[in-house]
Amino acid sequence: MSARTFDGRAVAAAVLADVRAEVEAMEVAPQLVFVRASDDPAGASYVRSKGKRAGTAGVRHETRVVPEDATNDDLQAVLQDLNDDPDVDGILVQLPLYLHLDADAALRAIAPEKDVDALHPVNVGRLWRGRAAWAPATPAGLLRILDHYEVPLEGREVVVVGRSDLVGKPAAALFLGRNATVTVAHSRTRDLAAVTRRADVLVAAAGVPGMITPEHVQAGAVVLDVGQAPVDGVLRGDVAPDVARVAGALTPTPGGTGPMTVAMVVANTVRAARARRGTA
Ligand code: NAP
């Protein structure tokens, strides 16, 4: 038997359609500003695709390009300017930054109420305390796709492979918030396959193409593939194709968790706008 496909493109389109309806009912469309301080082509491509989807949902967006000779103070000044602008609802600093720029300081400089990536320490704290108004886009997209396909989480075993601030840790916080029993595995985990086989829901977010093989997966498990890395010019996930023989359902790469991330950034911008305007 082959696993069911969880179609991230279709769920993302549904999220964006909901957002569009919400935006149309608002007096002033929310505005999202991307800050780019890097010549990384992948970062540029992510910004383009988030901007395109924002447009689809009726969210205004623009990109501030910070030049390569900018200092940390210059970047902080750009962010302060955006924090102070009442017409800006969301700010997203696309990582990575030029090597001489301090990414942590930049994330801390965003006003928490405009931090649509939810990476400011205040928002990280709110997430772990279960009091976040929105969550980092990639993990939020995982929950949304599971909800769409009505996958129960309460009391179930969730294993997250990867412990980054961007994906693994916030995913763990969100699954805990849904009363799952959560295990976070990483590069020092012993006997990874024994750990991942416990999972009813397995999240692969290591960035190592094909590392999750059938021996890592319990029969019938739901497998969410977050990893994305180019192999010979083709985007590959962490999950090997033959996992489809064992899993109950899985997200494809491309077309799985990636489109969900983009849609959730746009959804977060609307949440931030409503919260700041007092219409949440
Ligand atoms: P990251 O910061 O490099 O973190 C990778 C994590 O995976 C680390 O915690 C690392 O463990 C762990 N890891 C690496 N190799 C491992 C192995 N062999 N076994 C077990 N754990 C291992 O990366 P990230 O930012 O979280 O991103 C992870 C992947 O998701 C990347 O491919 C990225 O491109 C992709 N991504 C996709 C989306 C999307 O929308 N689909 C969004 C964001 C990121 P240690 O902590 O021990 O080093």
Side-chain angles (χ1 to χ4, degrees), residues 37-55:
S38 163
D39 52 12
D40 173 48
S45 144
Y46 290 139
V47 166
R48 272 198 304 278
S49 104
K50 289 170 194 167
K52 196 169 153 198
R53 298 299 172 228

Side-chain angles (χ1 to χ4, degrees), residues 128-259:
W128 281 98
R129 297 183 71 194
R131 290 177 171 81
W134 61 87
T138 302
L142 301 179
L143 277 200
R144 190 65 177 251
I145 211 164
L146 292 170
D147 288 345
H148 179 90
Y149 288 102
E150 298 182 343
V151 176
L153 290 168
E154 180 151 335
R156 300 186 88 207
E157 295 275 348
V158 175
V159 177
V160 180
V161 182
R163 57 174 165 180
S164 69
D165 293 338
L166 191 66
V167 186
K169 284 178 193 158
L174 284 177
F175 286 120
L176 269 182
R178 292 293 191 89
N179 299 320
T181 301
V182 183
T183 304
V184 182
H186 45 79
S187 68
R188 316 282 172 86
T189 297
R190 263 184 281 160
D191 196 355
L192 182 69
V195 174
T196 55
R197 272 199 305 271
R198 292 208 302 260
D200 300 308
V201 174
L202 175 59
V203 176
V208 182
M211 68 169 283
I212 300 295
T213 62
E215 68 148 356
H216 292 86
V217 179
Q218 183 195 129
V222 171
V223 181
L224 303 176
D225 192 358
V226 177
Q228 293 186 342
V231 178
D232 299 329
V234 179
L235 207 58
R236 297 274 185 226
D238 287 352
V239 177
D242 52 355
V243 165
R245 286 194 280 110
V246 185
L250 53 79
T251 56
T253 300
T257 58

